[in-house]
Amino acid sequence: MSCRLGCGACCIAPSISSAIPGMPNGKPAGERCIQLNDDNLCKIFGQPDRPAVCSQFKADRDICGGSNQFAIDVLTELEMLT
């Protein structure tokens, strides 16, 4: 599955414990990443300072579903379970 441009769910719903440029302590679950632009695109995509967890995430139908809201809901639930 290809990532839906402009979704941004993986940059909002989960916590990220590693440093992100502009967020040295990472980000809590449910908080929008500072590197997510107004179009829900990552401003540091493909750059070496992008967190490894972000680079390793791959879109998957079971997680991303058919809508941005579905992805937010699934990722939020997974975050709560872990």
Side-chain angles (χ1 to χ4, degrees), residues 1 3 10 14 18 21 23 34 39 43 57 60 65 72:
M1 171 178 186
C3 188
C10 59
S18 54
M23 300 179 100
I34 196 168
D39 294 321
K43 295 187 268 186
F57 181 81
D60 182 272
I72 289 274

Side-chain angles (χ1 to χ4, degrees), residues 1-3 50 53-61 63-64:
M1 171 178 186
S2 295
C3 188
R50 184 174 179 221
V53 69
C54 300
S55 298
Q56 293 168 358
F57 181 81
K58 304 293 181 226
D60 182 272
R61 178 127 341 254
I63 294 174
C64 303

Side-chain angles (χ1 to χ4, degrees), residues 29-51:
E31 182 176 317
R32 185 179 179 83
C33 178
I34 196 168
Q35 295 299 332
L36 196 60
N37 72 16
D38 291 339
D39 294 321
N40 283 346
L41 300 174
C42 179
K43 295 187 268 186
I44 58 171
F45 186 84
Q47 295 183 17
D49 53 350
R50 184 174 179 221

